[in-house]
Amino acid sequence: MSRQLSRTDYLIHQFDTILRTLVPHAATASRANPAAGTQDKAMSDAERRHAAGLMRINHTGEVCAQALYQGQGLTAKLHETRDQMEQAAAEEIDHLAWCDERLRELDSRTSYLNPAFYAASFGMGALAGKLGDNISLGFVAATEEQVGRHLDDHMHKLPMGDRRSRAVLEQMRTDEAHHERWALEAGGARFPAPLKLGMRLMSKVMTKSVYTL
Ligand SMILES: [Fe+2]
Ligand SMILES: [Fe+2]
């Protein structure tokens, strides 16, 4: 049975999502952790710190994904694709929770900069939503393409012994490729190269700062 959400319900739901995204350990995954049953091989302290830096970047990427979906949800019409977008956003919560869990296993933490990246991504999502559904979906596709490239790079850079982080990233890679395909099939505009370059530069700022902060 479905019912129309009242404005108060909606605001509570939004606020709940913000808290679950930004408060460490508050997100819970709906699917089993892909690393369950996988054992790490021996890693030095330096390797564990490096793995944590990479997983912190991936975690912040998922914070941005939540904010992006939420910002778009506020302004985009998306009559036919809202269900799929909500499904994708739910999968991003799994990613967020898995990265958070892995950071804890590595005796590390999420980034101090997450609130700032959340705010920026929320704004960009809301703006894309205002510009029309094809732009909004195109933005999802371009973002997922970029995230996919990051994940490939990180799977390459992770220490050989870090098999649990790798298991998480492999599942995320599969999900992100699926999100990208869906957004393009749903009518997402293919972003021109200069726009994609701008997005890549922004993500460089994020990765450089979040690796340590
Ligand atoms: Fe994700
Ligand atoms: Fe995604």
Side-chain angles (χ1 to χ4, degrees):
M1 200 193 294
S2 69
R3 73 185 171 98
Q4 199 76 27
L5 281 182
S6 75
R7 187 149 184 86
T8 315
D9 287 339
Y10 176 76
L11 287 174
I12 290 171
H13 175 69
Q14 294 287 316
F15 191 62
D16 180 61
T17 309
I18 295 173
L19 285 182
R20 269 189 297 142
T21 307
L22 291 180
V23 175
H25 323 322
T28 38
S30 58
R31 289 174 291 171
N33 191 315
T38 300
Q39 300 293 330
D40 287 331
K41 293 250 167 79
M43 280 189 280
S44 67
D45 285 350
E47 283 180 322
R48 285 174 69 84
R49 272 198 304 277
H50 176 55
L54 296 177
M55 291 309 280
R56 189 158 37 249
I57 292 169
N58 292 316
H59 180 269
T60 299
E62 296 302 327
V63 167
C64 293
Q66 279 306 308
L68 176 66
Y69 281 111
Q70 225 192 342
Q72 287 182 342
L74 201 65
T75 53
K77 294 189 188 74
L78 297 169
H79 293 307
E80 279 134 51
T81 51
R82 191 168 285 271
D83 284 353
Q84 275 168 299
M85 202 165 238
E86 278 169 10
Q87 164 76 29
E91 289 180 3
E92 307 295 4
I93 291 179
D94 289 350
H95 301 170
L96 190 74
W98 296 336
C99 289
D100 188 334
E101 267 173 59
R102 186 55 185 155
L103 281 166
R104 257 188 297 175
E105 287 175 9
L106 292 165
D107 302 312
S108 195
R109 52 159 180 85
T110 56
S111 173
Y112 299 131
L113 303 175
N114 282 344
F117 284 113
Y118 185 96
S121 303
F122 187 96
M124 285 197 291
L127 178 67
K130 270 241 177 286
L131 295 176
D133 285 2
N134 60 335
I135 300 291
S136 197
L137 290 163
F139 192 40
V140 170
T143 306
E144 298 289 4
E145 183 189 326
Q146 190 170 297
V147 171
R149 250 200 309 269
H150 265 289
L151 291 172
D152 288 341
D153 182 46
H154 284 188
M155 279 191 270
H156 189 68
K157 285 181 178 163
L158 275 174
M160 284 306 286
D162 191 350
R163 296 172 62 186
R164 287 179 63 81
S165 296
R166 193 168 276 108
V168 166
L169 296 193
E170 271 166 13
Q171 182 59 52
M172 283 168 58
R173 182 73 181 92
T174 304
D175 293 344
E176 312 302 15
H178 182 232
H179 299 161
E180 182 189 351
R181 230 179 7 256
W182 151 72
L184 288 174
E185 282 168 8
R190 286 190 188 271
F191 275 22
L195 205 55
K196 283 190 186 176
L197 182 68
M199 288 172 70
R200 264 210 291 284
L201 289 175
M202 279 208 41
S203 91
K204 264 215 157 40
V205 172
M206 188 274 262
T207 53
K208 287 267 182 260
S209 54
V210 168
Y211 182 80
T212 44
L213 290 174

